[in-house]
């Protein structure tokens, strides 16, 4: 059984409702939003999220699944145009044992640059034990605080980065 992280209230639903301070929308569709990731482990790191509160890939409708793919491709084009990255990493976590920390579907789209501080990400997920938490353990935000501190970006900076990426989105 896939164990989901616990986060109440859901930070992504808070963002959609306009109650999240570090929130900047890059692109909008009927079923998805593309938002800047408040943790800029890579400059321009963003996520495609569903408007609906669903936890994992397994919960998506076919329409949402398609919309996520289209939105990810759109923003990937914009990231390449904006940052000329050496690569674009996409990933998505389903359950705490895959490293999921927020119980709301989000698909990461990350422009990779040489020498960047990845922080939390695939290396942390190299072992099964490293990815998961003991069953029933609530999400512990203290680790997040330390990680956030390492890659702290001001709200203004996030908004500027989101605007820059948005200006390079392909025309629909
Ligand atoms: Zn949510």
């Amino acid at each position: 059984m896939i164990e989901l992280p616990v986060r109440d209230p859901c930070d992504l639903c808070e963002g959609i409702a306009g109650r999240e301070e570090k929130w900047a929308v890059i692109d909008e569709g009927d079923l998805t939003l593309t938002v800047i990731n408040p943790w800029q482990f890579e400059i321009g790191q963003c996520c495609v999220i569903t408007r609906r509160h669903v936890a994992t890939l397994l919960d998506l409708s076919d329409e949402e699944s398609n919309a996520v793919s289209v939105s990810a491709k759109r923003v990937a084009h914009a990231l390449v145009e904006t940052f000329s990255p050496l690569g674009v990493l996409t990933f998505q976590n389903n359950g705490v044992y895959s490293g999921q920390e927020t119980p709301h579907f989000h698909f990461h789209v990350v422009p990779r640059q040489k020498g960047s501080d990845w922080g939390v990400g695939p290396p942390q997920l190299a072992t099964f034990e490293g990815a998961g938490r003991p069953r029933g353990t609530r999400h512990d935000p203290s680790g997040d605080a330390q990680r956030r501190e390492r890659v702290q970006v001001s709200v203004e900076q996030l908004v500027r980065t989101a605007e820059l990426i948005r200006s390079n989105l392909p025309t629909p």
Side-chain angles (χ1 to χ4, degrees):
M1 193 189 93
I2 290 181
E3 184 185 343
L4 297 176
V6 176
R7 191 173 283 196
D8 189 19
C10 167
D11 52 347
L12 296 183
C13 283
E14 287 294 290
I16 291 169
R19 290 192 292 267
E20 189 72 37
E21 187 202 12
K22 292 196 164 186
W23 184 257
V25 176
I26 296 166
D27 197 15
E28 292 190 56
D30 291 342
L31 301 174
T32 64
L33 288 171
T34 303
V35 298
I36 195 83
N37 192 318
W39 310 336
Q40 291 285 283
F41 292 104
E42 295 272 10
I43 304 298
Q45 176 171 358
C46 57
C47 284
V48 177
I49 69 171
T50 50
R51 288 187 183 271
R52 195 164 66 99
H53 180 90
V54 287
T56 74
L57 180 70
L58 290 81
D59 302 310
L60 297 185
S61 67
D62 287 353
E63 291 74 20
E64 284 169 326
S65 210
N66 290 336
V68 166
S69 179
V70 169
S71 298
K73 194 172 88 169
R74 274 174 61 74
V75 81
H77 277 295
L79 291 171
V80 166
E81 186 69 21
T82 308
F83 301 107
S84 304
L86 300 175
V88 176
L89 171 68
T90 61
F91 70 99
Q92 188 266 324
N93 314 84
N94 300 283
V96 292
Y97 284 95
S98 80
Q100 185 178 12
E101 298 200 318
T102 287
H104 186 133
F105 180 91
H106 54 291
F107 185 92
H108 296 268
V109 187
V110 187
R112 300 298 327 259
Q113 301 286 5
K114 224 172 180 177
S116 57
D117 172 15
W118 176 254
V120 63
Q124 182 215 23
L125 307 180
T127 65
F128 186 79
E129 290 75 17
R133 289 185 287 275
R135 187 167 290 279
T137 305
R138 286 179 65 89
H139 175 73
D140 175 7
S142 64
D144 283 357
Q146 288 157 7
R147 287 184 223 120
R148 277 200 185 105
E149 213 171 293
R150 282 214 307 274
V151 291
Q152 197 147 34
V153 178
S154 70
V155 176
E156 294 71 29
Q157 179 71 53
L158 283 175
V159 169
R160 269 203 307 277
T161 304
E163 276 170 5
L164 191 61
I165 300 168
R166 191 183 315 127
S167 73
N168 285 317
L169 281 171
T171 43

